[in-house]
Amino acid sequence: MAPQLFIPVSANVLGTIGTIFWCVQLVPQVVRNYRTKSTEGLPAAMMFLWSISGVPFGVYAIVQNFNIPIQIQPQFFCALCLMSWAQCLRYQHKWRIWTTTLLASVLAIVFAGIELLLVFIIRRPYRRGLSWPVTFIGVLAAVLLIVGYVPIPSELWKRRGRVVGIDFGFLTIDWFGAFFSLMALVAQHTFDILGGVMYAACAAIEAMIFLSQGIWLLRTRKIRQRAKEAEMTWEEFPEAQAWQEKRWRLSWSRDRIQARKADKPSKGIVDEESVYGMKELGDIEQPKEAINRHGKGCD
C-alpha cells in the first residue's frame, strides 16, 4: 500500500482523540500498581511484548505517513508499557528500584535507536516501490500486539473469569483509544488494513475481558452478597475461596480421565449384592450367568 499523500481533517481530529486516550491509557494501571505495591494478575510478559511492539508500529506509522497523532501514539505506548513492565519486575520479582529504572531507561533508548534506524533504512526503498519490508514491519507489530494478550486467558482461567490486577480504567481508555484510532484510519482516503487489524483486535480483546468480568460478577452475585453480610472480602470468605478453587476443567483433562477409569467396573465382574439389589428395584433382570459364577443356583 502506498503512503498517504493527503490526510483529511476528520482523520487528524479522530487520530488526535485516539492519541490523547492512548497517551494516558496506562496511567491508571501505573498508579494502581504503585498504590497497591502489587502487579498480581498483570502479566509482565504482556507489558514487555507491548513495549517491543511499539517499535515496529512506530516505524510502520511513520513510513506510511499516517496522520501525525497516530505517528506519535507508538512512542507514548512504548514508554508507558516499559514503565508498567518495570513495576512488574519490582513488585512481582522483587528487583531493586534502581535496577528496574536503569533497565527500562536503557531499553527505551535502544528501542528509539532501532526505530530511527529502521525508518531511515526502509523509507527510501518504500518510496521507490519496494513494499515488502513495510508489510513485514506492520505484520510484526500486529503479531507482537496480539501475542501480548496471550497470558490474559490463562489468568482468567485460573480465576474462573475474574479479572485481577488489570485496572478497568486502563482498559476503558485503551478501548476508546483503539476505537478512535481505527476511525481515523477509516476517515483517510485509503484504509490501511494492517493498522486497522491492530486497532480492531485490541478493541475486541479488551471487550472480551470486560465480558469475562461481567459473567464472573453475575455468577458470584449470591456468594459476594453473603460475604458482604459477613463483612468479609472475597479473599477472606471461605465459601468464595472454595468456589474459586473449583477451577474449570475440560472434559478430556487427565484428572477426569483417571477418575472415570477408577470408577468404571472391570469387564465381566458382577457384584452379587448389587445384582440382587437391582433386581429388587426392578431395574434389570437377574443375570443367571453372573450368579452361577459365584456358586449359587437360580430358580
Side-chain angles (χ1 to χ4, degrees):
M1 181 179 293
Q4 304 289 326
L5 301 177
F6 175 74
I7 306 299
V9 175
S10 58
N12 272 313
V13 171
L14 291 168
T16 301
I17 296 173
T19 298
I20 292 173
F21 278 116
W22 270 28
C23 285
V24 297
Q25 61 175 338
L26 276 167
V27 171
Q29 185 67 56
V30 171
V31 172
R32 181 188 185 282
N33 296 342
Y34 177 77
R35 286 180 176 176
T36 62
K37 299 295 186 294
S38 172
T39 54
E40 180 185 1
L42 179 67
M46 180 178 75
M47 292 292 103
F48 187 66
L49 287 171
W50 279 5
S51 65
I52 296 176
S53 72
V55 176
F57 188 21
V59 173
Y60 186 79
I62 293 171
V63 174
Q64 283 282 52
N65 195 30
F66 288 164
N67 54 81
I68 296 300
I70 289 187
Q71 292 185 34
I72 296 174
Q73 274 183 9
Q75 328 310 326
F76 285 96
F77 180 67
C78 180
L80 289 171
C81 287
L82 278 176
M83 188 179 300
S84 186
W85 174 67
Q87 288 181 318
C88 291
L89 296 180
R90 169 62 181 160
Y91 300 131
Q92 285 185 21
H93 304 286
K94 308 304 179 183
W95 284 34
R96 297 178 180 178
I97 295 178
W98 69 268
T99 306
T100 57
T101 303
L102 179 62
L103 179 59
S105 301
V106 170
L107 283 175
I109 295 172
V110 171
F111 288 169
I114 293 175
E115 183 174 333
L116 288 173
L117 181 62
L118 288 175
V119 169
F120 179 78
I121 293 174
I122 294 175
R123 177 178 277 172
R124 286 189 179 181
Y126 184 58
R127 289 177 176 176
R128 295 173 184 173
L130 187 64
S131 60
W132 72 262
V134 177
T135 302
F136 174 78
I137 288 293
V139 171
L140 178 61
V143 169
L144 287 171
L145 185 67
I146 300 304
V147 171
Y149 282 105
V150 169
I152 294 294
S154 175
E155 293 293 330
L156 297 178
W157 187 271
K158 289 190 297 185
R159 297 175 176 85
R160 303 188 69 176
R162 185 188 182 195
V163 179
V164 174
I166 301 178
D167 190 88
F168 283 97
F170 148 59
L171 287 178
T172 302
I173 296 172
D174 197 31
W175 188 90
F176 277 108
F179 173 77
F180 281 106
S181 298
L182 179 61
M183 292 301 101
L185 295 183
V186 173
Q188 293 183 161
H189 292 297
T190 305
F191 179 77
D192 185 81
I193 296 177
L194 284 175
V197 167
M198 284 190 289
Y199 291 130
C202 181
I205 293 174
E206 284 165 355
M208 291 174 62
I209 296 174
F210 275 108
L211 180 61
S212 177
Q213 178 70 4
I215 294 174
W216 180 84
L217 290 172
L218 183 64
R219 297 180 66 201
T220 61
R221 62 191 185 281
K222 294 182 180 179
I223 300 178
R224 289 184 292 105
Q225 180 61 35
R226 288 192 288 270
K228 184 178 180 181
E229 292 172 355
E231 298 182 352
M232 301 174 70
T233 64
W234 176 267
E235 289 74 16
E236 297 170 343
F237 195 50
E239 183 183 354
Q241 293 309 302
W243 185 89
Q244 194 70 47
E245 290 174 0
K246 296 178 181 178
R247 298 175 184 174
W248 291 322
R249 292 182 180 179
L250 299 176
S251 59
W252 44 262
S253 66
R254 183 180 299 178
D255 293 342
R256 289 197 173 187
I257 292 175
Q258 292 177 350
R260 288 176 181 176
K261 287 182 177 180
D263 293 340
K264 188 176 180 180
S266 300
K267 186 175 181 181
I269 299 177
V270 180
D271 182 69
E272 179 183 354
E273 185 176 339
S274 299
V275 169
Y276 280 106
M278 295 174 71
K279 182 185 177 185
E280 291 176 0
L281 294 175
D283 294 332
I284 63 170
E285 295 293 334
Q286 182 180 1
K288 297 181 180 179
E289 296 80 6
I291 297 178
N292 288 332
R293 253 197 311 270
H294 285 75
K296 294 187 178 182
C298 182
D299 294 336

